Amino acid sequence: MTAGPRPSLAGHPASAGTVAPSARAATVRRVTPWDAARMRALRLEMLADAPLAFLETLADAAARPHADYAARIASVAVGRRAAQFIADPGADRPGGPAGRLVGHAGDAVWPDDPGLTVVYAVYVTPQRRGTGLLAELIEAVAAWSRQCGRPELMLEVVVGNDHAYRAYQRLGFVDTGVRVPHPKFPTLRELQMRRPA
C-alpha cells in the first residue's frame, strides 16, 4: 500500500475459472514478516505487468530499500486494520524450497466507513490466471473482513479494464455506478464495485 489518502486498489486479476489440471496448487494465507523478500519480488512483477493498476511506478518500487518492504509487510502481517494475503506455491511442498509467490490481495478498513473493507493490489501471475486463485484470494480477504466485523467489500477497477470487471462480477461484485479519478493518472477513471463479505 502506498502513502496517500487511499490505498492502491484492485489490479490485474485472474479470471475466476476452474483450476486447470496441470496447475500446481498454491496455499492462500496471510503474509508473514518472513515473506518480505518474496513479496518484494512479486510487487516488482505486479508493477511491470500492470503499471496502471497500482499507485507506484516500477522504478520507485525497485529503488525502495529492502528494509522498507520488510517494515510494510510486518505492519500488515498482524492486526485488524489492514492485511495482505498471498498465494504461495512453496507452502504445499514440505521440506522443499519456497517458490515465487503467485498471487496477492491486500485489504484495509475504509477510513470513511468502518463497516467496509477496501480490496487493493489484487494480482495473479500470468501463468496462474484462470486457475481459481483470484477467487481464493478474494475469499481470504472476505473471511478476514467478516472476522473483523466488516460486512462489505469494495474495490476499484480502471474503466475499460473489461477483463478485471468481468472477473470481479463473477465473484459477486456489483458496479455501484460511482466513478472516481485515477489517483496517479488523471486522464483515467476508476469504477467502484461492492459485494458482501
Side-chain angles (χ1 to χ4, degrees), residues 134-154:
L134 175 65
E136 290 182 48
L137 287 161
I138 295 298
E139 186 46 44
V141 168
W144 179 81
S145 184
R146 290 189 304 269
Q147 289 171 358
C148 295
R150 293 189 293 272
E152 190 174 20
L153 303 179
M154 188 272 287

Side-chain angles (χ1 to χ4, degrees), residues 18-84:
T18 59
V19 176
S22 62
R24 208 176 82 221
T27 300
V28 173
R29 61 176 175 80
R30 191 167 183 178
V31 72
T32 70
W34 297 274
D35 294 313
R38 294 167 71 209
M39 206 32 237
R40 182 178 191 273
L42 183 63
R43 180 70 177 173
L44 297 177
E45 177 185 325
M46 293 162 65
L47 292 165
D49 186 46
L52 296 180
F54 308 105
L55 292 183
E56 68 181 333
T57 67
L58 177 58
D60 289 343
R64 184 176 305 112
H66 176 73
D68 288 358
Y69 278 94
R72 178 188 296 187
I73 295 305
S75 74
V76 295
V78 295
R80 298 169 58 92
R81 304 236 4 116
Q84 290 185 16

Side-chain angles (χ1 to χ4, degrees), residues 120-146:
Y120 67 91
V122 178
Y123 182 78
V124 175
T125 61
Q127 300 82 0
R128 296 297 184 103
R129 293 177 186 158
T131 66
L133 276 182
L134 175 65
E136 290 182 48
L137 287 161
I138 295 298
E139 186 46 44
V141 168
W144 179 81
S145 184
R146 290 189 304 269

